[in-house]
Amino acid sequence: MGGLQKKKFESGAATNYITRNRARKKLQLSLPDFRRLCILKGIYPHEPKNKKKVNKGSTAQRTFYLLKDIRFLLHEPVVAKFREYKIFVRKLKKAYGKTEWSAVERLRENKPTYKLDHIVKERYPTFIDALRDIDDALCMCFLFSTFARTGKCHVQTIQLCRRLTVEWMNYIITLRSLRKVFISIKGIYYQAEVMGQLITWLVPYQFSHDHPVDVDYRVMATFTEFYTTLLGFVNFRLYNSLNLVYPPKLDSKAESELKEENEDDYAMNSECYLEKLSALSASLARVVSSAEEEEAQLDQFPVEEEDMEKMEARERELKQQETHKKIFEGLKFFLNREVPRESLAFVIRCFGGEVSWDKSVCIGSTYDVTDETITHQIVDRPNIEKQFINRYYIQPQWVFDCVNAKVVLPVEDYFLGVTLPPHLSPFVEEKEGDYVPPEKLKMMALQRGEKPASEQEEDEEDEEEEEEEEEEEDEEDGEEDEEEAEEENLKQMEEQRSQGKMLQVKVTPGKLKVENPARLEQEQKAEEKRLAIMMMKKKEKYLYDKIMFGKKRKIREANKLAAKRKAHDDAEKTKKKKAKK
């Protein structure tokens, strides 16, 4: 009866959240430092279900964090380092103001620094967790590695990102774990399989770009600071798992091959070594030589029938992967100076091919253009003056399309000056009822080892055209004979009617109609389905109608695309016919 009266906003959802300003004051941090700390620790704002209740009756726009997250930040060692850095900046300004240069040097030598190792271990308890979240880290590091060395971000950050990305690419080449490549407007998408995890990342093109004004580079730099630490941990662990030396070193044999006459004039030793690594043309040094390593073979145990089927399917899949890894084995490529060197060298080396380029383009070339063992020269210009008869001259798209098709495609469609076929995305997987482009069907036929349907259709079309011409001539003669026979029959019937004679009526014996059991079964199933739909409840019927409507819409869209493609192909055929005439 006379209990304590409950006060508003002192229990329930209102006590679970805290505004950003209150959180900042609780931690005694400025807004940039608070934002930086939240990024490093992986703490993000939360939207409450009932914003008015949490905001104590107000409808003003505020950013809310969970109170338990802010309490978690109170004991973070990095917060103390932020405060130390603030004091350091204040002392440094004072020393500069008083022109006490000895104090300035002493302060600079004792500049407070912090490490993010404990945060990485805290956020990713297991290595697989780190691999699952490595996509964003790779995208950001590849982006920063392409930045110009302007005042927008620190030069050391750009160099570190470049070193880590080169290490990652060398690891992927050694493991041969690249699966898919796609060239888009944004950049080149890669997908690799590392320890059973599919990792997708985006590499921007090597163009000079202006820094946009509306992008906050401080926020991006904070993310990059954490991601470089994470990627360093991951690279170290991955290199150890493959028995490779870390930091990576070139194999002694490969290093001696790459030794050039004018190497001393090229760059300093440290820079030259990084350039050789980033060339991606040489193998890496191992802790134990590859001859001493033994290949691990899968153990086979007696299993039941169902498990046996799964094992066989898995073995088939592994065999396909092994053949996919070796599609460029035995092929030697030479890259012209106008093609994107790094991406092509990376892809070719991932699938067992040898690659080189002109010495003037970049350090690390292994053979010259005059080498007679070169099988493919990749060129991105309409024509080339001096050509060797024992090699193919192809456009760069052939390499990427071969990787996605998992077979070495015919080179005829990729010769110089030829209009290239569409570059299909390997990340799109068509479901039942979806529109499948003819190029995809052709690729699937090549994977099965069959003759592509498009080639068969072209042969059939040529034959049909010849047959049509012959048939048109025969039809013209046949039509004239039929017209004459019809006229004679009509004349005879008119004569019989005029004479009053009855027309002849014939009675033919009836034929037994054979019923198709498959069609009867189909009709029965259709009737059962119709009755089942009639017996549905109202909610179920509504849901069923929505599903069917979605399916029909998908079919309509697929038919529309197929009709558009047919119209385009017909227009192209007519153009070719006119050109021939």
Side-chain angles (χ1 to χ4, degrees), residues 331-334 374-378 391-392 394 398 411:
L331 303 180
K332 280 184 96 170
F333 294 83
F334 188 86
I374 294 169
T375 56
H376 296 77
Q377 187 165 336
I378 299 172
R391 69 179 73 161
Y392 293 115
I394 50 172
W398 180 80
V411 291

Side-chain angles (χ1 to χ4, degrees), residues 120-136:
V120 172
K121 289 175 187 175
E122 191 180 274
R123 284 180 67 174
Y124 304 107
T126 63
F127 184 62
I128 295 297
D129 292 333
L131 276 180
R132 284 183 189 137
D133 208 28
I134 204 73
D135 299 16
D136 293 333

Side-chain angles (χ1 to χ4, degrees), residues 273-301:
Y273 204 80
L274 182 63
E275 287 288 322
K276 280 182 184 177
L277 275 172
S278 58
L280 308 174
S281 59
S283 53
L284 300 178
R286 292 178 180 270
V287 179
V288 182
S289 63
S290 55
E292 292 176 25
E293 287 182 4
E294 293 180 1
E295 287 187 6
Q297 292 183 347
L298 291 171
D299 296 327
Q300 292 186 347
F301 301 102

Side-chain angles (χ1 to χ4, degrees), residues 459-498:
D459 298 340
E460 286 170 9
E461 280 170 10
D462 295 336
E463 289 172 11
E464 280 174 9
E465 282 176 8
E466 292 172 6
E467 286 173 8
E468 278 174 9
E469 288 173 5
E470 291 173 5
E471 282 174 7
E472 280 173 6
E473 293 172 4
D474 296 339
E475 279 174 6
E476 285 173 4
D477 300 334
E479 281 173 6
E480 289 174 6
D481 297 337
E482 283 175 8
E483 283 172 5
E484 288 174 6
E486 280 178 8
E487 284 175 7
E488 285 177 9
N489 286 336
L490 287 167
K491 282 178 185 178
Q492 285 178 3
M493 286 171 75
E494 283 173 6
E495 284 173 8
Q496 284 178 357
R497 277 181 190 148
S498 60

Side-chain angles (χ1 to χ4, degrees), residues 100-155:
E100 294 174 354
W101 305 120
S102 58
V104 168
E105 283 180 23
R106 180 174 48 78
L107 284 167
R108 283 192 177 280
E109 283 171 8
N110 298 318
K111 183 183 174 180
T113 56
Y114 59 88
K115 289 187 176 181
L116 302 176
D117 301 3
H118 66 283
I119 296 178
V120 172
K121 289 175 187 175
E122 191 180 274
R123 284 180 67 174
Y124 304 107
T126 63
F127 184 62
I128 295 297
D129 292 333
L131 276 180
R132 284 183 189 137
D133 208 28
I134 204 73
D135 299 16
D136 293 333
L138 285 169
C139 291
M140 191 66 83
C141 288
F142 271 103
L143 175 65
F144 265 71
S145 66
T146 59
F147 280 176
R149 296 183 181 187
T150 56
K152 284 286 180 185
C153 52
H154 295 294
V155 175

Side-chain angles (χ1 to χ4, degrees), residues 41 127 158 202 207 345 387 433 577:
K41 293 287 284 182
F127 184 62
I158 295 167
L202 173 66
F207 296 141
Q387 294 190 10
K577 281 180 183 177

Side-chain angles (χ1 to χ4, degrees), residues 241-391:
S241 68
L242 277 189
N243 196 19
L244 295 168
V245 177
Y246 189 87
K249 289 183 180 178
L250 293 173
D251 194 9
S252 55
K253 186 184 174 185
E255 195 174 354
S256 61
E257 285 175 5
L258 291 176
K259 188 81 175 168
E260 293 178 13
E261 294 173 8
N262 304 324
E263 192 178 287
D264 298 331
D265 304 332
Y266 182 79
M268 290 189 296
N269 287 336
S270 58
E271 288 179 353
C272 196
Y273 204 80
L274 182 63
E275 287 288 322
K276 280 182 184 177
L277 275 172
S278 58
L280 308 174
S281 59
S283 53
L284 300 178
R286 292 178 180 270
V287 179
V288 182
S289 63
S290 55
E292 292 176 25
E293 287 182 4
E294 293 180 1
E295 287 187 6
Q297 292 183 347
L298 291 171
D299 296 327
Q300 292 186 347
F301 301 102
V303 287
E304 295 176 9
E305 288 181 8
E306 289 181 8
D307 294 335
M308 195 69 183
E309 287 174 7
K310 285 178 185 176
M311 273 190 70
E312 284 175 1
R314 179 66 183 153
E315 280 175 12
R316 278 198 299 273
E317 196 179 322
L318 286 168
K319 279 181 184 176
Q320 285 174 359
Q321 279 185 10
E322 286 301 316
T323 51
H324 186 209
K325 285 177 186 178
K326 297 174 184 176
I327 56 169
F328 292 147
E329 254 188 19
L331 303 180
K332 280 184 96 170
F333 294 83
F334 188 86
L335 309 179
N336 259 36
R337 61 173 62 251
E338 70 274 4
V339 300
R341 187 200 65 80
E342 190 172 278
S343 58
L344 283 166
F346 174 57
V347 172
I348 290 164
R349 290 264 291 119
C350 277
F351 293 93
E354 290 181 59
V355 65
S356 186
W357 46 85
D358 196 73
K359 286 179 184 177
S360 60
V361 174
C362 179
I363 197 169
S365 61
T366 48
Y367 46 86
D368 288 328
V369 67
T370 52
D371 193 337
E372 292 182 0
T373 57
I374 294 169
T375 56
H376 296 77
Q377 187 165 336
I378 299 172
V379 185
D380 198 10
R381 55 178 76 177
N383 204 353
I384 192 165
E385 290 177 3
K386 191 180 179 183
Q387 294 190 10
F388 292 84
I389 201 164
N390 60 341
R391 69 179 73 161

